[in-house]
């Protein structure tokens, strides 16, 4: 790990020293956009992160923590569900998997940007990403990816061997997800299966094994939830996606999006109810579930798919949805 880190730092220094050269040879519009991003000091990254590391921080989307929350919540759900009735979850496991979520999310963004760099350069929202505009090379991004994966594996190694094995196996889904948008209009379903492997990680971190009958309902709930929020997210880029040849459920559903995601909402809460029943969760779980259902109804009812800024707002609100479900499972276990 140390040698990889040293190599990364060398490559980073080289990339920063040649920013002007790289940006000058990048696609003109993308280069101008990235110059604006670096000069505007629009995020805390521009104030706190050294310039030498800033391109990597943007690559890992550290400035947009909502993605880490969406990776982390299923893991937290799994830990809470596996906890001993009447007792709080293991706080050390929550902490360890929080870091694992951070590194996994960064690695997922990195592999996505490596594989999608040509697509990203054609999309307004993504054309200023470090690889798409030429600020970082795919080789440098790959070195950064390796370090993130080592840190992810290192975090999971603090749990147990079974959980580590599950975590490594899920990387196959993480690596293949970016390819799905080239093959199917349902990449959001594949993302759902990928993101909610966190339920498996959380459960196995506590139990050291998997009992599918216990976790399948919660896993399925998360898959349908992910389809909802990522379909909303995909509506931000639907016009550019058509030009770039990228597929999504936003394009598949079109103007019928609200009807489709309402159906997925019903499916998600059916499995959430089944989760409570099979796990014998106490009444607080259902109270929090009602609150999360209200939050989801608000998302869908007020959603305007023609306004990208509105779609982004609704997408980001799902960090609160995940929190409501977590506290529902936690308190439901405490009163068992």
């Amino acid at each position: 790990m140390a040698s990889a880190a040293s190599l990364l730092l060398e490559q980073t220094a080289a990339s920063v020293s040649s920013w002007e050269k790289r940006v000058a040879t990048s696609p003109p519009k993308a280069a101008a956009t990235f110059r604006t991003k670096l000069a505007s000091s629009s995020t805390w990254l521009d104030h706190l992160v050294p310039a030498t590391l800033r391109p990597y921080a943007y690559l890992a989307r550290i400035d947009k923590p909502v993605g880490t929350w969406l990776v982390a919540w299923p893991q937290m759900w799994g830990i809470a569900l596996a906890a001993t009735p009447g007792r709080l979850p293991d706080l050390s496991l929550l902490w360890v998997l929080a870091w694992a979520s951070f590194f996994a999310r960064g690695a997922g963004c990195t592999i996505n940007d490596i594989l999608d760099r040509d697509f990203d350069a054609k999309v307004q929202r993504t054309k200023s990403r470090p690889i798409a505009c030429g600020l970082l090379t795919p080789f440098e991004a790959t070195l950064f990816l390796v370090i993130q994966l080592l840190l992810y594996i290192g975090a999971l190694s603090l749990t147990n061997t079974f959980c580590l094995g599950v975590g490594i196996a899920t990387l196959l889904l993480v690596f293949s997800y970016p390819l799905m948008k080239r093959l199917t209009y349902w990449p959001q379903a594949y993302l759902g299966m990928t993101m909610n492997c966190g339920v498996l990680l959380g459960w196995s971190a506590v139990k050291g094994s998997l009992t599918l009958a216990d976790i399948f309902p919660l896993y399925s709930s998360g898959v349908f939830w992910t389809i909802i929020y990522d379909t909303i997210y995909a509506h931000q880029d639907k016009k550019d996606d058509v030009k770039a040849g990228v597929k999504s459920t936003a394009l598949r559903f079109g103007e019928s999006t609200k009807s489709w995601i309402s159906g997925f909402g019903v499916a998600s809460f059916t499995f959430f109810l089944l989760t409570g029943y099979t796990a014998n969760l106490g009444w607080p779980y259902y109270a929090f579930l009602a609150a999360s259902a209200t939050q989801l109804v608000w998302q869908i009812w007020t959603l305007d798919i023609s306004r990208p800024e509105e779609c982004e707002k609704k997408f980001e609100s799902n960090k609160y949805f995940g929190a409501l479900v977590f506290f529902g499972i936690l308190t439901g276990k405490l009163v068992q």
Side-chain angles (χ1 to χ4, degrees):
M1 184 181 296
S3 60
S6 299
L7 183 56
L8 172 63
L9 291 175
E10 292 175 5
Q11 291 293 331
T12 304
S15 69
V16 172
S17 66
S18 60
W19 272 11
E20 290 301 321
K21 178 180 179 181
R22 289 191 186 174
V23 173
T25 58
S26 299
K29 292 183 179 180
T33 303
F34 200 89
R35 281 197 191 97
T36 300
K37 176 185 284 190
L38 291 178
S40 64
S41 296
S42 57
T43 73
W44 62 269
L45 279 181
D46 302 298
H47 295 284
L48 300 179
V49 177
T52 54
L53 300 178
R54 203 173 299 159
Y56 296 96
Y58 277 115
L59 182 59
R61 313 281 201 280
I62 294 177
D63 59 317
K64 298 178 179 179
V66 62
T68 300
W69 283 114
L70 296 178
V71 172
W73 282 129
Q75 298 186 24
M76 305 300 108
W77 299 351
I79 291 175
L81 190 66
T84 302
R87 300 180 63 179
L88 287 171
D90 187 328
L91 296 181
S92 65
L93 283 180
L94 291 172
W95 178 249
V96 167
L97 288 194
W99 279 107
S101 299
F102 177 79
F103 297 130
R105 190 272 179 129
C109 291
T110 302
I111 187 64
N112 183 81
D113 285 11
I114 291 172
L115 296 177
D116 282 357
R117 58 189 182 275
D118 294 331
F119 287 134
D120 286 346
K122 301 175 184 177
V123 176
Q124 179 65 32
R125 186 178 58 84
T126 61
K127 65 183 182 180
S128 64
R129 288 176 176 174
I131 304 176
C133 75
L135 187 64
L136 292 179
T137 67
F139 176 72
E140 290 166 335
T142 300
L143 290 177
F144 184 50
L145 172 64
V146 170
I147 288 181
Q148 291 176 97
L149 291 175
L150 290 174
L151 292 170
Y152 167 71
I153 292 171
L156 291 183
S157 68
L158 299 176
T159 58
N160 58 65
T161 303
F162 189 88
C163 180
L164 176 60
V166 172
I168 292 174
T170 61
L171 292 177
L172 295 174
L173 295 174
V174 174
F175 288 164
S176 56
Y177 161 68
L179 304 176
M180 293 300 108
K181 66 190 73 173
R182 298 161 169 81
L183 304 176
T184 176
Y185 281 99
W186 292 87
Q188 280 68 31
Y190 197 85
L191 180 66
M193 292 187 290
T194 303
M195 296 280 280
N196 291 281
C197 283
V199 173
L200 282 63
L201 279 173
W203 179 278
S204 62
V206 177
K207 301 289 190 179
S209 63
L210 287 176
T211 308
L212 293 181
D214 291 327
I215 61 174
F216 179 76
L218 185 57
Y219 174 80
S220 300
S221 300
V223 171
F224 287 117
W225 170 54
T226 301
I227 295 174
I228 294 169
Y229 70 65
D230 204 55
T231 296
I232 294 172
Y233 183 84
H235 269 285
Q236 296 179 90
D237 303 325
K238 56 189 174 185
K239 293 181 180 179
D240 288 329
D241 285 349
V242 171
K243 298 176 184 177
V246 174
K247 300 178 175 68
S248 71
T249 48
L251 295 176
R252 172 66 178 82
F253 301 158
E255 294 302 317
S256 300
T257 290
K258 284 194 174 185
S259 297
W260 276 94
I261 61 177
S262 294
F264 289 127
V266 171
S268 180
F269 276 90
T270 298
F271 280 106
F272 275 129
L273 289 171
L274 185 58
T275 297
Y277 175 77
T278 57
N280 194 30
L281 297 176
W283 66 265
Y285 171 74
Y286 298 98
F288 276 100
L289 200 60
S292 63
T294 301
Q295 199 275 344
L296 189 62
V297 168
W298 166 78
Q299 284 190 60
I300 298 173
W301 186 267
T302 62
L303 176 65
D304 184 350
I305 60 174
S306 66
R307 297 176 57 198
E309 68 279 5
E310 176 72 12
C311 294
E312 182 179 21
K313 177 182 177 182
K314 294 300 191 298
F315 166 76
E316 291 183 349
S317 75
N318 281 278
K319 62 188 176 185
Y320 304 116
F321 178 95
L324 289 169
V325 173
F326 170 72
F327 285 109
I329 298 174
L330 185 150
T331 54
K333 292 288 287 190
L334 282 175
V335 302
Q336 274 186 331

